[in-house]
Amino acid sequence: MRSVVYAAVMLAGLMTGCATTQGSTFNDLFIPDGEAIYERPLEELWPEVRTFFTENNLPFREDRGSLVLETEWRQEFGGSRVAGFFHRYMVLGKRESPTQSKLWIIRITKSVNNALRAPGSELDWGVSRVSQGGGGDDVGVAGLSVEDFGAYQGAPVGENSFIAGSGQGSRDLVMEWRVFRFVSPKLMKEENAPQPVKVAMALNAKAPAGVMDFECGLPILGLGKQVKPGAVLLLGEMHGTQEVPRFMAQAACQTAVAGTPVTVGLELPLENQTRIDAFLDSAGEEHDWLKLMEAPFWRSPYPDGRSSEAVANMLEQLRELRFRGLDVDIFVFDHPKAQGQAREDAMHATVRHQVESSPKRFHVILSGNIHSRTKKGLPWNKDFKPMGLLLKDSLGSVVSLDMAYNSGSAWICAVDSQGVKDSLDCGVREAKGRDNGDRFFLHTWGGTNGDGYHGVFYVGPVTASVPAVQKGLGRPGANDNSAAPVEAQPAEVATP
């Protein structure tokens, strides 16, 4: 409900420290269900808005006449070399009445790999925009003058607005309330303004980190309800997409920035733990990448999607967060030499040990969606007990979510087209899903379905991620083949 009373109550709660039991968690993980309304004319509010962006090192350009500003591009994960996604904020002042005002803050996204681009649209990379009737890189709208076209581009439409036809603009209520909590006490001349969010420091951190030092992507809807010390969130995925590793990195980033230590569990072979630990504590230089990628796992003849370029990039993004001061950790738990129930038992033991050894951390565990089920039995084995079921029985707080997605593609290994059971056919395959929008979210049902899932995590349209070694053994995506030069190969399409 949008009201002045709502804004006042929220501010009062933040002042007294009663807004949440998790300190700063409200700031970064919970999506507000109302707008922030200022009891000041827009002209009085605007100087403090400018101060917020200046003090948080967010350079901006401003149209003073219309009370609109736009920040410069920032890369996700603190400038990770492989993040691939950039964001900027467009801030629009809105007059509610002569004495009341509000802000609309639109987060605009662009991607270097076009993973988010809608068919037929182009992202705006430049500073200026020119309306063109056809051709060129700019998006033209017939019948609009240059001035009207600029206004058209700057006007958000609903909660998921489209900026410049790219489909990459979304209203960010979390950021709106973050600005509100900064600005309102100053306008009210309060001396007890909210303190900056404090985050944990990694041992090798370069400098203390602040909440605005990181671009963690658009807040994941529903994440805040799951994050608490000691909780375990199981995510059952379809291997081989770009979107799931990005979801994991964003969830870890947003959790850590909110002040909750987070541990990410990955279904990678246990013998890779030492290499991953060394990489996490490294500076991420080329030789650090080479040591990580030397493991046989990354060079399997049947890369099933867990050794994808997106997974390797996720490791880099988590390393960067840790290096810059956030309390982020990773462990691996697969026992590939075991089979059937023995493998589930071994994975359960490894995950349980990690969780029980660090009860004050939030654990988010990614595995194939058979392992994360919390119900006994499979169509071909009625007695099968998945890792998720074993964890639910042995740990106190376990929530298991199945992957939901919109149609696209994934890198999948399956029995070959001739039906030979001991041979796998790996490549890009069509993945059919259901459209639930472009926004990442978590949703629980209040119970479990037939597979024991408590709900779903949604990642939007999926895009296949090729094996990391397909571009050599150097940093994934660099295409430099620095260690073992190989001829660059196009993405392989699986046999129909």
Side-chain angles (χ1 to χ4, degrees):
M1 175 180 177
R2 182 176 66 88
S3 68
V4 178
V5 174
Y6 180 80
V9 170
M10 294 298 292
L11 180 61
L14 288 162
M15 293 295 187
T16 59
C18 299
T20 176
T21 59
Q22 297 185 51
S24 64
T25 302
F26 174 86
N27 292 4
D28 302 289
L29 293 179
F30 287 93
I31 311 299
D33 58 1
E35 296 179 306
I37 306 299
Y38 298 83
E39 293 290 336
R40 289 291 190 278
L42 191 57
E43 288 74 15
E44 294 183 20
L45 163 70
W46 198 253
E48 295 297 342
V49 174
R50 300 178 75 253
T51 300
F52 172 86
F53 287 94
T54 300
E55 291 188 1
N56 284 286
N57 298 315
L58 293 170
F60 58 86
R61 300 189 300 272
E62 182 180 6
D63 182 356
R64 293 179 179 270
S66 60
L67 299 179
V68 174
L69 66 82
E70 186 177 60
T71 66
E72 300 297 331
W73 292 109
R74 299 180 77 203
Q75 191 173 14
E76 281 186 3
F77 307 109
S80 165
R81 291 178 296 176
V82 298
F85 290 88
F86 296 77
H87 300 273
R88 70 171 15 153
Y89 295 103
M90 178 181 290
V91 183
L92 303 100
K94 301 285 185 178
R95 291 181 176 85
E96 288 287 281
S97 72
T99 59
Q100 293 181 339
S101 57
K102 66 181 180 181
L103 300 176
W104 275 11
I105 299 182
I106 311 300
R107 183 193 294 253
I108 306 170
T109 305
K110 73 177 180 182
S111 169
V112 297
N113 59 13
N114 295 328
L116 295 183
R117 190 177 69 182
S121 66
E122 295 289 338
L123 290 168
D124 171 30
W125 288 74
V127 174
S128 63
R129 306 178 178 96
V130 180
S131 176
Q132 301 186 67
D137 294 329
D138 295 309
V139 180
V141 178
L144 291 183
S145 66
V146 173
E147 293 78 8
D148 289 340
F149 183 58
Y152 164 80
Q153 289 178 312
V157 180
E159 287 294 306
N160 295 296
S161 57
F162 294 93
I163 303 298
S166 68
Q168 304 304 303
S170 296
R171 189 172 177 189
D172 191 340
L173 287 171
V174 171
M175 188 65 170
E176 290 180 16
W177 278 94
R178 187 178 291 158
V179 175
F180 179 83
R181 291 190 294 271
F182 175 90
V183 170
S184 290
K186 295 188 175 185
L187 296 176
M188 297 167 63
K189 299 183 178 179
E190 293 282 352
E191 295 182 357
N192 57 340
Q195 297 299 311
V197 172
K198 296 180 179 180
V199 295
M201 289 287 292
L203 294 177
N204 63 341
K206 294 189 297 186
V211 66
M212 291 305 299
D213 292 343
F214 295 89
E215 178 57 70
C216 297
L218 195 64
I220 298 174
L221 301 171
L223 178 62
K225 296 180 180 179
Q226 305 301 329
V227 174
K228 60 181 178 180
V232 178
L233 182 64
L234 301 180
L235 301 180
E237 71 154 340
M238 171 181 64
H239 300 315
T241 70
Q242 295 183 23
E243 287 70 27
V244 171
R246 182 169 184 246
F247 183 100
M248 291 289 291
Q250 285 191 347
C253 184
Q254 292 172 21
T255 299
V257 164
T260 300
V262 59
T263 296
V264 173
L266 300 175
E267 189 195 343
L268 305 187
L270 203 63
E271 55 266 27
N272 287 268
Q273 186 67 61
T274 301
R275 292 180 186 271
I276 289 177
D277 288 342
F279 181 71
L280 282 181
D281 291 333
S282 74
E285 300 296 336
E286 203 67 42
H287 64 276
D288 300 316
W289 274 104
L290 295 177
K291 291 179 181 178
L292 174 69
M293 305 300 288
E294 282 173 352
F297 165 74
W298 298 99
R299 292 177 279 112
S300 167
Y302 301 116
D304 62 3
R306 294 178 297 162
S307 59
S308 71
E309 186 175 321
V311 171
N313 289 347
M314 176 186 64
L315 295 177
E316 156 64 11
Q317 290 156 4
L318 297 178
R319 183 206 64 78
E320 181 70 20
L321 295 178
R322 181 183 173 96
F323 184 69
R324 297 192 64 202
L326 294 179
D327 195 346
V328 176
D329 203 3
I330 303 175
F331 76 97
V332 297
F333 57 86
D334 190 20
H335 294 255
K337 294 181 181 179
Q339 299 293 324
Q341 190 60 55
R343 184 184 178 201
E344 301 298 314
D345 294 342
M347 290 195 295
H348 158 253
T350 300
V351 175
R352 179 181 178 180
H353 173 74
Q354 287 287 336
V355 174
E356 292 181 338
S357 299
S358 49
K360 295 183 179 180
R361 303 181 69 83
F362 173 62
H363 291 79
V364 55
I365 313 297
L366 181 67
S367 70
N369 58 12
I370 289 180
H371 308 303
S372 54
R373 299 182 182 192
T374 66
K375 287 288 181 69
K376 179 180 178 181
L378 292 171
W380 57 90
N381 186 349
K382 302 295 184 182
D383 297 323
F384 183 77
K385 293 183 178 180
M387 175 189 71
L389 172 61
L390 300 173
L391 289 171
K392 185 193 72 171
D393 291 342
S394 62
L395 299 174
S397 179
V398 174
V399 173
S400 182
L401 303 179
D402 197 7
M403 177 182 172
Y405 55 92
N406 193 5
S407 297
S409 61
W411 179 277
I412 297 175
C413 288
V415 175
D416 77 355
S417 59
Q418 304 302 318
V420 180
K421 294 183 178 180
D422 60 353
S423 178
L424 293 178
D425 185 21
C426 300
V428 178
R429 295 179 182 271
E430 182 182 8
K432 294 184 179 180
R434 178 176 297 180
D435 187 1
N436 283 290
D438 297 324
R439 185 81 175 263
F440 287 174
F441 66 78
L442 282 69
H443 177 72
T444 54
W445 300 312
T448 58
N449 65 3
D451 294 326
Y453 285 111
H454 299 90
V456 298
F457 71 103
Y458 178 76
V459 298
V462 290
T463 311
S465 182
V466 301
V469 297
Q470 192 157 298
K471 295 185 179 179
L473 290 178
R475 175 171 57 87
N479 202 26
D480 53 12
N481 303 326
S482 52
V486 296
E487 183 179 353
Q489 299 290 331
E492 182 180 350
V493 178
T495 306

